């Protein structure tokens, strides 16, 4: 029986820039940052295993993955194009005070494509990471 989700993947265009964005702008913590060897099938010369998570949620790690990890060159290029285009919306994040979080993140240079708006499920804002992935930031209804 599956008990829980431990990792989820976000494809990024540059892992160093993504690490800086997720830690310095979003306030996440690095959980893993290691080079994996060529012994993994499809890894070629190897790949970088880089994971981050919010400080209050260490049990779910976000893999900041290079699109080439586990993909052939053509597929990796297609993923890069979709990420850069802003076509990937990998998830939603929650906060207890969206207006305060919106102000804090905006002050750190996070680009919001939608300011906080009241929705049936709560208050939502949309932002993009440094690669082009977009996320919903939501303060759920009580």
């Amino acid at each position: 029986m599956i008990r829980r989700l431990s990792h989820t993947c976000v494809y990024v265009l540059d892992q160093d820039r993504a690490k800086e964005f997720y830690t310095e702008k979003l306030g996440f913590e690095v959980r893993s940052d290691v080079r994996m060897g060529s012994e993994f099938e499809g890894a070629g010369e190897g790949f970088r295993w880089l994971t981050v998570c919010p400080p209050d949620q260490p049990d779910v790690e976000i893999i900041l993955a290079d699109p080439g990890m586990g993909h052939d060159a053509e597929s990796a290029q297609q993923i890069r194009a979709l990420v850069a285009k802003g076509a990937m919306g990998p998830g939603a994040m929650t906060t207890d005070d969206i207006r305060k979080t919106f102000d804090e993140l905006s002050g750190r240079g996070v680009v919001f494509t939608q300011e906080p708006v009241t929705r049936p499920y709560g208050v939502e804002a949309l932002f993009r990471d440094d690669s082009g992935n977009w996320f919903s930031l939501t303060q759920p209804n009580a």
Side-chain angles (χ1 to χ4, degrees):
M1 169 190 273
I2 297 173
R3 297 184 44 156
R4 65 184 185 89
L5 177 70
S6 65
H7 293 74
T8 190
C9 182
V10 173
Y11 290 110
V12 297
L13 301 179
D14 181 293
Q15 286 180 302
D16 288 326
R17 277 194 356 243
K19 180 180 178 180
E20 182 179 322
F21 178 86
Y22 282 82
T23 59
E24 295 180 17
K25 294 191 179 191
L26 297 186
F28 288 12
E29 296 176 344
V30 174
R31 290 290 175 216
S32 298
D33 190 355
V34 297
R35 176 61 80 182
M36 304 296 261
S38 59
E39 68 273 12
F40 291 93
E41 184 177 338
E45 296 179 16
F47 60 91
R48 182 178 180 189
W49 181 259
L50 173 61
T51 68
V52 296
C53 67
D56 293 337
Q57 192 180 20
D59 59 332
V60 177
E61 297 179 43
I62 299 169
I63 306 161
L64 300 178
D66 181 282
M69 186 173 80
H71 296 100
D72 61 75
E74 182 180 352
S75 296
Q77 186 54 38
Q78 290 171 340
I79 294 168
R80 279 188 189 88
L82 288 170
V83 170
K85 183 179 179 179
M88 306 289 271
M93 300 179 192
T94 61
T95 181
D96 294 330
D97 186 340
I98 195 163
R99 285 171 176 63
K100 179 180 175 187
T101 303
F102 174 83
D103 290 342
E104 288 173 353
L105 296 181
S106 294
R108 293 183 199 155
V110 174
V111 176
F112 281 84
T113 59
Q114 175 190 291
E115 293 189 13
V117 176
T118 301
R119 304 280 188 213
Y121 46 83
V123 182
E124 176 186 52
L126 301 176
F127 71 89
R128 290 210 167 141
D129 71 7
D130 68 306
S131 292
N133 295 296
W134 64 271
F135 291 88
S136 167
L137 177 64
T138 305
Q139 178 181 333
N141 289 332

